[in-house]
């Protein structure tokens, strides 16, 4: 029996490939069960065009972030291409799976992004979410369209098990670490500017590349101002081996994310895998993983700072159990089962 062909959207970006390794790893793991189109991750000219071209080729479509074409170049043209692609998939009678990553795109919403999100929710056989919060929202939307809400399922963002899978360190310094690409929704500027944070006397280290020169300059200005808290801002991309050492030694890894667009976080998952002690807002995946005992959460800046002053850590036993049950092979097998059911 010949294997089915699967197309994983989005395609690699024309300028920088994939901004994170999620889709690279996803394709690699799915290759155990499918013939993966664009397995070489060759960059495409435009996401809408790539989606339409592949709509004639695959048997299974695993869609993510299709709605973000609404904020790319030639947005309306790409929107039309994406809608045409989903019409082709439906006319061909092929399976569509949708990974509903965030309640709304990080760049906001417009009528095109809303239309594309609803189209994916309606036409998909199954909807996968990496947080219970996003899954519940998807069920509400799906029910309102007369679809069966049971097609929406929650599964945690998969964990990459590599050599950087670090045991929890018994010796931690007093560092409060923020790491990963620095984008507006991650709240780094707001964190560094908060008077509550600045008066706390913390030792804060920020390691992450900020490609926005205006945002970068504002963060640099904030951390340079005299305060009881000591700030270090390293505007660079660090390798995972280096990060594993920094993360495992830090007292906390804090996620001062702004509310609204964040549901799951690959940086959170990597932090747990690399022996970190994460603290994030009581929303989305942070709240899910707090219930599993592998993350702490806060509901206000004051509560966040109070926790950052404490010296406590997550359970190694619970962390190992979480990693074993949330690996990439487990996730790929789940996608196979949903697609081939």
């Amino acid at each position: 029996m010949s294997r089915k062909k699967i197309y994983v959207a989005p395609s690699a970006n024309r300028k920088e490939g994939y901004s994170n390794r999620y889709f690279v790893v996803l394709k690699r793991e799915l290759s155990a069960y499918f013939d993966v189109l664009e397995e070489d991750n060759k960059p495409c000219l435009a996401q809408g065009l790539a989606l339409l071209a592949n709509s004639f080729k695959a048997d299974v479509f695993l869609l993510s972030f299709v709605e973000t074409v609404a904020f790319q170049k030639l947005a309306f043209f790409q929107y039309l291409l994406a809608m045409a692609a989903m019409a082709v998939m439906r006319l061909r009678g092929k399976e569509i799976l949708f990974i509903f990553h965030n309640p709304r795109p990080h760049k906001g919403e417009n009528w095109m992004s809303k239309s594309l999100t609803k189209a994916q929710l309606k036409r998909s056989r199954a909807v996968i979410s990496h947080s219970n919060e996003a899954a519940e929202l998807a069920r509400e939307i799906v029910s309102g369209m007369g679809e069966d809400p049971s097609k929406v399922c929650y599964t945690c963002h998969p964990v990459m098990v590599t050599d950087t899978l670090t045991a929890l360190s018994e010796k931690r310094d007093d560092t409060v670490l923020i790491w990963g690409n620095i984008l507006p929704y991650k709240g780094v500027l707001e964190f560094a500017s908060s008077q509550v944070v600045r008066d706390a006397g913390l030792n804060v280290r920020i390691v992450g590349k900020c490609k926005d020169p205006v945002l970068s300059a504002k963060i640099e200005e904030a951390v340079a101002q005299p305060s009881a808290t000591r700030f270090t801002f390293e505007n660079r991309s660090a390798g995972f081996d280096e990060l594993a050492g920094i993360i495992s030694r830090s007292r906390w890894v804090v996620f001062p994310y702004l509310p609204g667009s964040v549901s799951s976080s690959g940086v959170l998952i990597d932090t747990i895998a690399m022996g970190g002690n994460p603290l994030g807002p009581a929303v989305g995946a942070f709240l899910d993983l707090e219930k599993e005992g592998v993350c702490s959460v806060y509901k206000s800046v004051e509560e966040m700072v109070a926790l950052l002053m404490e010296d406590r850590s997550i359970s190694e036993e619970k962390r190992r159990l979480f990693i074993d049950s949330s690996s990439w092979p487990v996730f790929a097998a789940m996608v196979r089962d949903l697609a081939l059911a």
Side-chain angles (χ1 to χ4, degrees):
M1 181 178 177
S2 61
R3 303 203 312 172
K4 289 191 174 183
K5 296 178 182 178
I6 189 169
Y7 170 64
V8 178
S11 295
N13 184 277
R14 181 171 59 89
K15 291 185 178 180
E16 54 188 23
Y18 286 113
S19 58
N20 63 59
R21 57 183 180 172
Y22 182 98
F23 296 102
V24 175
V25 180
L26 178 57
K27 288 181 180 182
R28 185 181 70 206
E29 295 297 334
L30 288 175
S31 66
Y33 309 111
F34 301 94
D35 289 335
V36 180
L37 301 181
E38 297 187 357
E39 192 171 11
D40 59 356
N41 300 319
K42 183 178 179 180
C44 69
L45 292 175
Q47 293 296 338
L49 187 61
L51 187 65
L52 181 59
N54 283 286
S55 69
F56 294 95
K57 301 175 184 178
D59 304 301
V60 178
F61 297 87
L62 182 58
L63 307 181
S64 293
F65 300 121
V66 170
E67 64 277 8
T68 61
V69 302
F71 306 99
Q72 297 171 10
K73 289 183 178 180
L74 301 174
F76 181 63
F77 179 60
Q78 291 210 60
Y79 164 78
L80 295 177
L81 293 176
M83 292 298 285
M86 283 188 280
V88 172
M89 297 172 203
R90 186 177 72 253
L91 290 171
R92 293 181 63 225
K94 301 303 180 182
E95 300 295 347
I96 301 174
L97 308 178
F98 175 35
I99 305 180
F100 186 50
H101 289 272
N102 297 312
R104 60 183 178 86
H106 296 317
K107 293 185 178 181
E109 288 182 305
N110 59 32
W111 70 268
M112 290 183 289
S113 67
K114 291 179 181 178
S115 174
L116 287 167
T117 297
K118 288 182 179 179
Q120 291 173 94
L121 288 169
K122 184 175 182 62
R123 297 174 186 177
S124 296
R125 165 191 273 199
V127 178
I128 303 166
S129 175
H130 292 323
S131 81
N132 275 303
E133 184 178 63
E136 191 55 41
L137 175 61
R139 291 187 189 105
E140 291 178 9
I141 299 172
V142 165
S143 296
M145 294 188 292
E147 296 285 308
D148 184 359
S150 67
K151 75 177 185 177
V152 180
C153 62
Y154 160 74
T155 187
C156 179
H157 186 301
V159 181
M160 171 66 81
V161 181
T162 67
D163 292 339
T164 56
L165 182 62
T166 310
L168 290 176
S169 174
E170 295 182 359
K171 295 182 179 180
R172 296 182 185 271
D173 56 33
D174 66 347
T175 301
V176 172
L177 177 67
I178 297 174
W179 74 276
N181 293 330
I182 297 175
L183 300 165
Y185 76 88
K186 293 189 176 182
V188 177
L189 175 60
E190 288 77 5
F191 178 86
S193 303
S194 167
Q195 199 59 50
V196 177
V197 174
R198 299 179 67 81
D199 290 343
L202 300 168
N203 179 25
V204 177
R205 183 178 182 182
I206 304 167
V207 181
K209 186 65 177 178
C210 182
K211 296 182 179 180
D212 182 339
V214 175
L215 178 59
S216 175
K218 288 181 178 179
I219 294 172
E220 289 174 355
E221 181 181 0
V223 303
Q225 297 298 316
S227 72
T229 290
R230 303 176 303 281
F231 291 96
T232 303
F233 177 32
E234 302 171 34
N235 190 351
R236 64 186 179 91
S237 297
F240 276 95
D241 289 338
E242 179 188 3
L243 283 168
I246 299 171
I247 288 168
S248 64
R249 291 192 304 269
S250 299
R251 177 189 291 175
W252 289 100
V253 178
V254 66
F255 298 84
Y257 287 7
L258 302 180
S261 66
V262 176
S263 173
S264 62
S265 169
V267 178
L268 167 61
I269 300 300
D270 287 337
T271 294
I272 295 170
M274 290 189 283
N277 191 32
L279 174 65
V283 297
F286 297 99
L287 193 57
D288 294 329
L289 299 194
E290 189 268 342
K291 294 175 182 176
E292 295 196 38
V294 294
C295 181
S296 298
V297 297
Y298 62 86
K299 296 181 180 178
S300 67
V301 175
E302 291 76 13
E303 184 179 9
M304 174 182 67
V305 169
L307 287 168
L308 292 176
M309 302 291 283
E310 295 184 13
D311 187 11
R312 62 174 177 168
S313 185
I314 62 177
S315 161
E316 173 68 4
E317 180 181 356
K318 289 181 179 178
R319 188 181 77 105
R320 287 286 173 177
L321 180 63
F322 165 74
I323 290 170
D324 290 342
S325 63
S326 305
S327 68
W328 273 102
V330 170
F331 181 61
M334 187 196 77
V335 172
R336 172 204 61 194
D337 293 343
L338 289 172
L340 303 181

